Short mmCIF file of all heavy atoms in Angstrom, two decimals:
data_model
loop_
_atom_site.label_atom_id
_atom_site.label_comp_id
_atom_site.label_asym_id
_atom_site.label_seq_id
_atom_site.Cartn_x
_atom_site.Cartn_y
_atom_site.Cartn_z
N ILE E 24 51.65 -8.20 22.65
CA ILE E 24 51.89 -9.62 22.40
C ILE E 24 53.38 -9.91 22.39
O ILE E 24 53.85 -10.90 22.97
CB ILE E 24 51.25 -10.06 21.07
CG1 ILE E 24 49.73 -9.92 21.17
CG2 ILE E 24 51.63 -11.49 20.75
CD1 ILE E 24 49.00 -10.37 19.94
N ALA E 25 54.14 -9.02 21.76
CA ALA E 25 55.58 -9.22 21.72
C ALA E 25 56.16 -9.21 23.13
O ALA E 25 57.00 -10.03 23.49
CB ALA E 25 56.23 -8.13 20.87
N MET E 26 55.69 -8.26 23.92
CA MET E 26 56.16 -8.14 25.29
C MET E 26 55.79 -9.38 26.09
O MET E 26 56.57 -9.89 26.88
CB MET E 26 55.50 -6.89 25.91
CG MET E 26 56.15 -6.46 27.20
SD MET E 26 57.87 -6.09 26.94
CE MET E 26 58.44 -6.11 28.61
N GLN E 27 54.59 -9.85 25.84
CA GLN E 27 54.12 -11.05 26.55
C GLN E 27 54.98 -12.25 26.18
O GLN E 27 55.33 -13.06 27.04
CB GLN E 27 52.65 -11.29 26.19
CG GLN E 27 51.89 -12.06 27.23
CD GLN E 27 51.58 -11.24 28.47
OE1 GLN E 27 51.86 -10.06 28.56
NE2 GLN E 27 51.00 -11.90 29.45
N LEU E 28 55.31 -12.35 24.90
CA LEU E 28 56.16 -13.45 24.45
C LEU E 28 57.51 -13.37 25.14
O LEU E 28 58.06 -14.37 25.61
CB LEU E 28 56.37 -13.37 22.93
CG LEU E 28 55.33 -14.10 22.08
CD1 LEU E 28 55.52 -13.76 20.62
CD2 LEU E 28 55.44 -15.60 22.28
N PHE E 29 58.02 -12.16 25.19
CA PHE E 29 59.33 -11.99 25.80
C PHE E 29 59.29 -12.36 27.28
O PHE E 29 60.20 -13.03 27.80
CB PHE E 29 59.79 -10.54 25.62
CG PHE E 29 61.20 -10.34 26.07
CD1 PHE E 29 62.25 -10.74 25.28
CD2 PHE E 29 61.47 -9.77 27.31
CE1 PHE E 29 63.55 -10.59 25.70
CE2 PHE E 29 62.77 -9.61 27.74
CZ PHE E 29 63.82 -10.02 26.94
N SER E 30 58.24 -11.92 27.97
CA SER E 30 58.11 -12.30 29.39
C SER E 30 58.08 -13.80 29.53
O SER E 30 58.62 -14.36 30.47
CB SER E 30 56.83 -11.77 30.01
OG SER E 30 56.64 -10.46 29.70
N GLY E 31 57.40 -14.45 28.60
CA GLY E 31 57.30 -15.90 28.64
C GLY E 31 58.66 -16.54 28.54
O GLY E 31 58.98 -17.50 29.26
N VAL E 32 59.48 -16.01 27.64
CA VAL E 32 60.83 -16.56 27.47
C VAL E 32 61.64 -16.37 28.75
O VAL E 32 62.32 -17.27 29.23
CB VAL E 32 61.53 -15.89 26.27
CG1 VAL E 32 63.01 -16.21 26.27
CG2 VAL E 32 60.90 -16.36 24.97
N ALA E 33 61.52 -15.19 29.33
CA ALA E 33 62.27 -14.92 30.56
C ALA E 33 61.79 -15.82 31.69
O ALA E 33 62.57 -16.31 32.50
CB ALA E 33 62.13 -13.45 30.94
N LEU E 34 60.48 -16.00 31.77
CA LEU E 34 59.92 -16.90 32.79
C LEU E 34 60.44 -18.31 32.55
O LEU E 34 60.78 -19.03 33.49
CB LEU E 34 58.39 -16.87 32.70
CG LEU E 34 57.65 -17.72 33.71
CD1 LEU E 34 57.89 -17.22 35.11
CD2 LEU E 34 56.16 -17.71 33.42
N GLY E 35 60.48 -18.68 31.28
CA GLY E 35 60.96 -20.01 30.92
C GLY E 35 62.36 -20.27 31.41
O GLY E 35 62.71 -21.41 31.73
N ALA E 36 63.18 -19.21 31.49
CA ALA E 36 64.57 -19.39 31.91
C ALA E 36 64.65 -20.06 33.27
O ALA E 36 65.47 -20.95 33.50
CB ALA E 36 65.29 -18.05 31.93
N VAL E 37 63.77 -19.64 34.19
CA VAL E 37 63.79 -20.26 35.53
C VAL E 37 63.35 -21.71 35.44
O VAL E 37 63.93 -22.60 36.09
CB VAL E 37 62.87 -19.50 36.50
CG1 VAL E 37 62.97 -20.08 37.89
CG2 VAL E 37 63.21 -18.03 36.51
N PHE E 38 62.33 -21.95 34.62
CA PHE E 38 61.87 -23.34 34.43
C PHE E 38 63.01 -24.20 33.91
O PHE E 38 63.20 -25.33 34.34
CB PHE E 38 60.73 -23.40 33.43
CG PHE E 38 59.44 -22.81 33.92
CD1 PHE E 38 58.52 -22.27 33.02
CD2 PHE E 38 59.13 -22.79 35.26
CE1 PHE E 38 57.32 -21.74 33.46
CE2 PHE E 38 57.93 -22.25 35.71
CZ PHE E 38 57.03 -21.72 34.80
N VAL E 39 63.76 -23.64 32.94
CA VAL E 39 64.86 -24.39 32.33
C VAL E 39 65.87 -24.80 33.40
O VAL E 39 66.32 -25.95 33.44
CB VAL E 39 65.54 -23.55 31.23
CG1 VAL E 39 66.86 -24.19 30.82
CG2 VAL E 39 64.64 -23.40 30.04
N MET E 40 66.20 -23.87 34.26
CA MET E 40 67.17 -24.14 35.33
C MET E 40 66.74 -25.35 36.15
O MET E 40 67.53 -26.22 36.48
CB MET E 40 67.21 -22.89 36.20
CG MET E 40 68.53 -22.63 36.83
SD MET E 40 69.78 -22.48 35.58
CE MET E 40 71.13 -22.96 36.55
N LEU E 41 65.47 -25.34 36.53
CA LEU E 41 64.95 -26.44 37.35
C LEU E 41 64.94 -27.74 36.58
O LEU E 41 65.35 -28.79 37.08
CB LEU E 41 63.52 -26.12 37.79
CG LEU E 41 63.39 -25.19 38.98
CD1 LEU E 41 61.97 -24.70 39.09
CD2 LEU E 41 63.79 -25.91 40.24
N ALA E 42 64.47 -27.65 35.33
CA ALA E 42 64.33 -28.87 34.54
C ALA E 42 65.68 -29.49 34.25
O ALA E 42 65.81 -30.72 34.21
CB ALA E 42 63.59 -28.55 33.24
N LEU E 43 66.70 -28.67 34.05
CA LEU E 43 68.03 -29.18 33.76
C LEU E 43 68.49 -30.14 34.84
O LEU E 43 68.90 -31.28 34.55
CB LEU E 43 69.03 -28.03 33.68
CG LEU E 43 69.20 -27.33 32.33
CD1 LEU E 43 70.20 -26.21 32.46
CD2 LEU E 43 69.63 -28.32 31.27
N GLY E 44 68.43 -29.67 36.06
CA GLY E 44 68.91 -30.51 37.17
C GLY E 44 68.12 -31.79 37.28
O GLY E 44 68.67 -32.88 37.45
N LEU E 45 66.80 -31.63 37.18
CA LEU E 45 65.92 -32.79 37.31
C LEU E 45 66.21 -33.80 36.21
O LEU E 45 66.28 -35.01 36.44
CB LEU E 45 64.47 -32.30 37.21
CG LEU E 45 63.36 -33.12 37.82
CD1 LEU E 45 63.65 -33.40 39.28
CD2 LEU E 45 62.06 -32.36 37.71
N SER E 46 66.42 -33.29 35.02
CA SER E 46 66.66 -34.14 33.86
C SER E 46 67.98 -34.87 33.97
O SER E 46 68.08 -36.06 33.68
CB SER E 46 66.65 -33.26 32.61
OG SER E 46 66.11 -33.94 31.54
N ILE E 47 69.00 -34.15 34.39
CA ILE E 47 70.32 -34.76 34.53
C ILE E 47 70.28 -35.89 35.55
O ILE E 47 70.83 -36.97 35.32
CB ILE E 47 71.36 -33.69 34.97
CG1 ILE E 47 71.69 -32.80 33.78
CG2 ILE E 47 72.61 -34.34 35.50
CD1 ILE E 47 72.64 -31.70 34.12
N ILE E 48 69.61 -35.63 36.66
CA ILE E 48 69.55 -36.66 37.70
C ILE E 48 68.78 -37.88 37.20
O ILE E 48 69.18 -39.02 37.44
CB ILE E 48 68.89 -36.10 38.98
CG1 ILE E 48 69.83 -35.07 39.61
CG2 ILE E 48 68.59 -37.20 39.96
CD1 ILE E 48 69.25 -34.38 40.80
N PHE E 49 67.69 -37.64 36.48
CA PHE E 49 66.95 -38.79 35.99
C PHE E 49 67.71 -39.52 34.90
O PHE E 49 67.78 -40.74 34.87
CB PHE E 49 65.57 -38.37 35.47
CG PHE E 49 64.76 -39.55 35.01
CD1 PHE E 49 64.11 -40.35 35.93
CD2 PHE E 49 64.68 -39.88 33.67
CE1 PHE E 49 63.38 -41.44 35.52
CE2 PHE E 49 63.96 -40.97 33.25
CZ PHE E 49 63.30 -41.76 34.18
N GLY E 50 68.28 -38.76 34.01
CA GLY E 50 68.99 -39.38 32.88
C GLY E 50 70.14 -40.25 33.36
O GLY E 50 70.41 -41.33 32.83
N MET E 51 70.82 -39.78 34.36
CA MET E 51 72.01 -40.47 34.84
C MET E 51 71.70 -41.55 35.87
O MET E 51 72.23 -42.64 35.81
CB MET E 51 72.94 -39.42 35.48
CG MET E 51 74.30 -39.94 35.79
SD MET E 51 75.23 -40.13 34.29
CE MET E 51 76.37 -41.37 34.79
N LEU E 52 70.89 -41.22 36.84
CA LEU E 52 70.66 -42.15 37.94
C LEU E 52 69.29 -42.82 37.89
O LEU E 52 69.02 -43.70 38.68
CB LEU E 52 70.78 -41.43 39.29
CG LEU E 52 72.18 -41.00 39.73
CD1 LEU E 52 72.50 -39.61 39.25
CD2 LEU E 52 72.30 -41.07 41.21
N GLY E 53 68.44 -42.37 37.01
CA GLY E 53 67.12 -42.96 36.94
C GLY E 53 66.24 -42.62 38.11
O GLY E 53 65.27 -43.30 38.39
N ILE E 54 66.58 -41.55 38.78
CA ILE E 54 65.81 -41.18 39.97
C ILE E 54 64.95 -39.96 39.66
O ILE E 54 65.41 -38.98 39.09
CB ILE E 54 66.75 -40.78 41.12
CG1 ILE E 54 67.61 -41.95 41.52
CG2 ILE E 54 65.98 -40.28 42.31
CD1 ILE E 54 68.66 -41.54 42.50
N VAL E 55 63.67 -40.02 40.07
CA VAL E 55 62.84 -38.83 40.02
C VAL E 55 63.00 -38.15 41.38
O VAL E 55 62.61 -38.70 42.40
CB VAL E 55 61.36 -39.21 39.81
CG1 VAL E 55 60.52 -37.96 39.80
CG2 VAL E 55 61.20 -39.96 38.51
N ASN E 56 63.57 -36.98 41.37
CA ASN E 56 63.89 -36.32 42.62
C ASN E 56 62.73 -35.46 43.09
O ASN E 56 62.56 -34.32 42.67
CB ASN E 56 65.15 -35.46 42.43
CG ASN E 56 65.57 -34.76 43.71
OD1 ASN E 56 65.10 -35.11 44.79
ND2 ASN E 56 66.42 -33.78 43.59
N PHE E 57 61.90 -36.04 43.98
CA PHE E 57 60.74 -35.30 44.47
C PHE E 57 61.13 -34.15 45.38
O PHE E 57 60.29 -33.36 45.78
CB PHE E 57 59.80 -36.25 45.22
CG PHE E 57 58.68 -36.76 44.37
CD1 PHE E 57 58.93 -37.42 43.19
CD2 PHE E 57 57.37 -36.57 44.74
CE1 PHE E 57 57.91 -37.89 42.39
CE2 PHE E 57 56.33 -37.03 43.95
CZ PHE E 57 56.60 -37.69 42.77
N ALA E 58 62.38 -34.08 45.76
CA ALA E 58 62.81 -32.98 46.62
C ALA E 58 63.47 -31.87 45.81
O ALA E 58 64.03 -30.94 46.38
CB ALA E 58 63.79 -33.51 47.67
N HIS E 59 63.37 -31.96 44.49
CA HIS E 59 64.10 -31.00 43.65
C HIS E 59 63.65 -29.57 43.91
O HIS E 59 64.46 -28.65 44.02
CB HIS E 59 63.90 -31.35 42.17
CG HIS E 59 65.01 -30.88 41.30
ND1 HIS E 59 66.24 -31.49 41.27
CD2 HIS E 59 65.09 -29.84 40.45
CE1 HIS E 59 67.03 -30.86 40.42
NE2 HIS E 59 66.35 -29.85 39.90
N GLY E 60 62.34 -29.38 44.02
CA GLY E 60 61.82 -28.05 44.30
C GLY E 60 62.35 -27.54 45.63
O GLY E 60 62.65 -26.36 45.80
N ASN E 61 62.45 -28.44 46.60
CA ASN E 61 62.92 -28.02 47.91
C ASN E 61 64.40 -27.67 47.90
O ASN E 61 64.84 -26.81 48.65
CB ASN E 61 62.63 -29.11 48.94
CG ASN E 61 61.14 -29.40 49.03
OD1 ASN E 61 60.71 -30.51 48.76
ND2 ASN E 61 60.37 -28.39 49.36
N PHE E 62 65.18 -28.33 47.04
CA PHE E 62 66.59 -27.93 46.92
C PHE E 62 66.70 -26.55 46.29
O PHE E 62 67.59 -25.77 46.60
CB PHE E 62 67.37 -28.96 46.11
CG PHE E 62 67.81 -30.15 46.92
CD1 PHE E 62 67.27 -31.41 46.69
CD2 PHE E 62 68.75 -30.01 47.93
CE1 PHE E 62 67.66 -32.50 47.46
CE2 PHE E 62 69.16 -31.09 48.69
CZ PHE E 62 68.60 -32.34 48.46
N PHE E 63 65.79 -26.27 45.38
CA PHE E 63 65.69 -24.92 44.79
C PHE E 63 65.50 -23.91 45.92
O PHE E 63 66.18 -22.89 45.99
CB PHE E 63 64.51 -24.94 43.82
CG PHE E 63 64.00 -23.61 43.35
CD1 PHE E 63 64.56 -22.99 42.25
CD2 PHE E 63 62.91 -23.00 43.96
CE1 PHE E 63 64.07 -21.77 41.78
CE2 PHE E 63 62.41 -21.79 43.50
CZ PHE E 63 62.99 -21.17 42.41
N MET E 64 64.60 -24.24 46.83
CA MET E 64 64.31 -23.37 47.97
C MET E 64 65.53 -23.25 48.87
O MET E 64 65.90 -22.16 49.31
CB MET E 64 63.11 -23.94 48.71
CG MET E 64 62.69 -23.19 49.95
SD MET E 64 63.49 -23.78 51.43
CE MET E 64 62.81 -25.43 51.58
N VAL E 65 66.19 -24.37 49.15
CA VAL E 65 67.38 -24.34 50.00
C VAL E 65 68.45 -23.48 49.35
O VAL E 65 69.17 -22.74 50.03
CB VAL E 65 67.91 -25.77 50.26
CG1 VAL E 65 69.22 -25.71 51.00
CG2 VAL E 65 66.90 -26.56 51.06
N GLY E 66 68.52 -23.55 48.02
CA GLY E 66 69.47 -22.70 47.30
C GLY E 66 69.20 -21.23 47.57
O GLY E 66 70.11 -20.44 47.83
N ALA E 67 67.91 -20.85 47.51
CA ALA E 67 67.56 -19.45 47.77
C ALA E 67 68.00 -19.05 49.17
O ALA E 67 68.56 -17.97 49.39
CB ALA E 67 66.06 -19.26 47.60
N TYR E 68 67.76 -19.92 50.13
CA TYR E 68 68.16 -19.62 51.50
C TYR E 68 69.67 -19.59 51.65
O TYR E 68 70.21 -18.78 52.41
CB TYR E 68 67.55 -20.63 52.48
CG TYR E 68 66.17 -20.23 52.95
CD1 TYR E 68 65.03 -20.67 52.28
CD2 TYR E 68 66.01 -19.37 54.03
CE1 TYR E 68 63.78 -20.29 52.70
CE2 TYR E 68 64.77 -18.98 54.45
CZ TYR E 68 63.65 -19.43 53.78
OH TYR E 68 62.40 -19.04 54.20
N ALA E 69 70.36 -20.48 50.93
CA ALA E 69 71.83 -20.44 50.96
C ALA E 69 72.29 -19.09 50.45
O ALA E 69 73.23 -18.49 50.98
CB ALA E 69 72.40 -21.57 50.12
N GLY E 70 71.59 -18.59 49.42
CA GLY E 70 71.91 -17.27 48.90
C GLY E 70 71.72 -16.20 49.96
O GLY E 70 72.57 -15.32 50.14
N VAL E 71 70.60 -16.28 50.67
CA VAL E 71 70.34 -15.31 51.74
C VAL E 71 71.46 -15.37 52.79
O VAL E 71 71.98 -14.37 53.26
CB VAL E 71 68.99 -15.62 52.42
CG1 VAL E 71 68.83 -14.82 53.69
CG2 VAL E 71 67.85 -15.32 51.47
N PHE E 72 71.82 -16.60 53.13
CA PHE E 72 72.85 -16.84 54.14
C PHE E 72 74.17 -16.20 53.75
O PHE E 72 74.79 -15.46 54.53
CB PHE E 72 73.00 -18.36 54.29
CG PHE E 72 74.01 -18.80 55.30
CD1 PHE E 72 73.76 -18.70 56.66
CD2 PHE E 72 75.22 -19.34 54.89
CE1 PHE E 72 74.69 -19.12 57.59
CE2 PHE E 72 76.16 -19.75 55.82
CZ PHE E 72 75.89 -19.65 57.17
N VAL E 73 74.61 -16.47 52.53
CA VAL E 73 75.89 -15.92 52.08
C VAL E 73 75.80 -14.41 51.96
O VAL E 73 76.72 -13.67 52.31
CB VAL E 73 76.30 -16.55 50.73
CG1 VAL E 73 77.56 -15.91 50.20
CG2 VAL E 73 76.50 -18.04 50.88
N MET E 74 74.66 -13.95 51.47
CA MET E 74 74.46 -12.51 51.31
C MET E 74 74.56 -11.79 52.65
O MET E 74 75.18 -10.73 52.76
CB MET E 74 73.04 -12.30 50.73
CG MET E 74 72.73 -10.88 50.39
SD MET E 74 73.58 -10.37 48.89
CE MET E 74 72.50 -9.06 48.38
N GLU E 75 73.98 -12.40 53.69
CA GLU E 75 74.03 -11.79 55.01
C GLU E 75 75.47 -11.68 55.51
O GLU E 75 75.84 -10.71 56.16
CB GLU E 75 73.23 -12.62 56.01
CG GLU E 75 71.78 -12.21 56.10
CD GLU E 75 71.00 -13.15 57.00
OE1 GLU E 75 71.61 -14.00 57.69
OE2 GLU E 75 69.76 -13.05 57.00
N ARG E 76 76.24 -12.71 55.21
CA ARG E 76 77.60 -12.71 55.73
C ARG E 76 78.59 -11.91 54.91
O ARG E 76 79.56 -11.38 55.42
CB ARG E 76 78.12 -14.15 55.87
CG ARG E 76 77.83 -14.69 57.25
CD ARG E 76 77.66 -16.19 57.26
NE ARG E 76 76.98 -16.59 58.46
CZ ARG E 76 75.76 -16.23 58.81
NH1 ARG E 76 75.06 -15.45 58.01
NH2 ARG E 76 75.21 -16.64 59.94
N THR E 77 78.37 -11.84 53.61
CA THR E 77 79.37 -11.17 52.78
C THR E 77 78.85 -9.87 52.17
O THR E 77 79.61 -9.06 51.72
CB THR E 77 79.80 -12.06 51.60
OG1 THR E 77 78.63 -12.28 50.79
CG2 THR E 77 80.32 -13.39 52.10
N GLY E 78 77.52 -9.72 52.15
CA GLY E 78 76.96 -8.52 51.55
C GLY E 78 77.09 -8.49 50.04
O GLY E 78 76.73 -7.52 49.39
N SER E 79 77.59 -9.59 49.47
CA SER E 79 77.80 -9.57 48.02
C SER E 79 76.87 -10.56 47.34
O SER E 79 76.85 -11.74 47.66
CB SER E 79 79.25 -9.94 47.72
OG SER E 79 79.36 -10.42 46.39
N PHE E 80 76.11 -10.08 46.37
CA PHE E 80 75.22 -10.94 45.60
C PHE E 80 76.04 -11.95 44.81
O PHE E 80 75.66 -13.11 44.67
CB PHE E 80 74.37 -10.08 44.67
CG PHE E 80 73.54 -10.89 43.72
CD1 PHE E 80 72.44 -11.60 44.16
CD2 PHE E 80 73.87 -10.96 42.37
CE1 PHE E 80 71.68 -12.35 43.28
CE2 PHE E 80 73.12 -11.70 41.48
CZ PHE E 80 72.01 -12.40 41.94
N TRP E 81 77.16 -11.51 44.27
CA TRP E 81 77.96 -12.40 43.42
C TRP E 81 78.51 -13.57 44.22
O TRP E 81 78.58 -14.69 43.74
CB TRP E 81 79.08 -11.59 42.76
CG TRP E 81 78.49 -10.42 42.03
CD1 TRP E 81 78.47 -9.12 42.44
CD2 TRP E 81 77.79 -10.46 40.79
NE1 TRP E 81 77.80 -8.34 41.54
CE2 TRP E 81 77.37 -9.14 40.52
CE3 TRP E 81 77.46 -11.47 39.91
CZ2 TRP E 81 76.64 -8.82 39.38
CZ3 TRP E 81 76.74 -11.14 38.76
CH2 TRP E 81 76.34 -9.83 38.51
N ALA E 82 78.89 -13.26 45.46
CA ALA E 82 79.35 -14.35 46.33
C ALA E 82 78.22 -15.34 46.55
O ALA E 82 78.43 -16.55 46.49
CB ALA E 82 79.82 -13.78 47.67
N ALA E 83 77.01 -14.78 46.79
CA ALA E 83 75.86 -15.66 47.02
C ALA E 83 75.61 -16.53 45.80
O ALA E 83 75.33 -17.72 45.91
CB ALA E 83 74.63 -14.83 47.34
N LEU E 84 75.73 -15.93 44.62
CA LEU E 84 75.45 -16.65 43.37
C LEU E 84 76.44 -17.80 43.17
O LEU E 84 76.11 -18.84 42.64
CB LEU E 84 75.56 -15.67 42.21
CG LEU E 84 74.94 -16.10 40.89
CD1 LEU E 84 73.45 -16.33 41.07
CD2 LEU E 84 75.19 -15.05 39.83
N LEU E 85 77.68 -17.58 43.60
CA LEU E 85 78.71 -18.58 43.39
C LEU E 85 78.72 -19.62 44.50
O LEU E 85 78.75 -20.82 44.25
CB LEU E 85 80.09 -17.89 43.36
CG LEU E 85 80.94 -18.21 42.14
CD1 LEU E 85 80.18 -17.88 40.86
CD2 LEU E 85 82.24 -17.42 42.19
N VAL E 86 78.72 -19.12 45.73
CA VAL E 86 78.92 -20.02 46.87
C VAL E 86 77.65 -20.79 47.22
O VAL E 86 77.71 -21.96 47.60
CB VAL E 86 79.41 -19.20 48.10
CG1 VAL E 86 79.54 -20.10 49.31
CG2 VAL E 86 80.73 -18.55 47.77
N GLY E 87 76.51 -20.12 47.10
CA GLY E 87 75.25 -20.77 47.46
C GLY E 87 75.07 -22.13 46.80
O GLY E 87 74.91 -23.15 47.48
N PRO E 88 75.09 -22.18 45.45
CA PRO E 88 74.93 -23.47 44.80
C PRO E 88 76.00 -24.48 45.18
O PRO E 88 75.74 -25.68 45.23
CB PRO E 88 75.04 -23.12 43.31
CG PRO E 88 74.64 -21.69 43.23
CD PRO E 88 75.12 -21.08 44.49
#
Side-chain angles (χ1 to χ4, degrees):
Chain E
I24 296 182
M26 194 59 196
Q27 205 73 4
L28 271 171
F29 187 78
S30 313
V32 167
L34 182 64
V37 184
F38 290 153
V39 167
M40 211 58 206
L41 279 166
L43 273 179
L45 204 54
S46 215
I47 285 178
I48 291 176
F49 182 79
M51 191 73 205
L52 289 90
I54 297 172
V55 178
N56 181 14
F57 263 56
H59 206 74
N61 301 118
F62 278 112
F63 166 87
M64 178 270 294
V65 174
Y68 273 93
V71 168
F72 181 74
V73 175
M74 186 75 155
E75 270 174 10
R76 268 151 199 62
T77 63
S79 158
F80 173 72
W81 305 103
L84 197 61
L85 232 56
V86 177

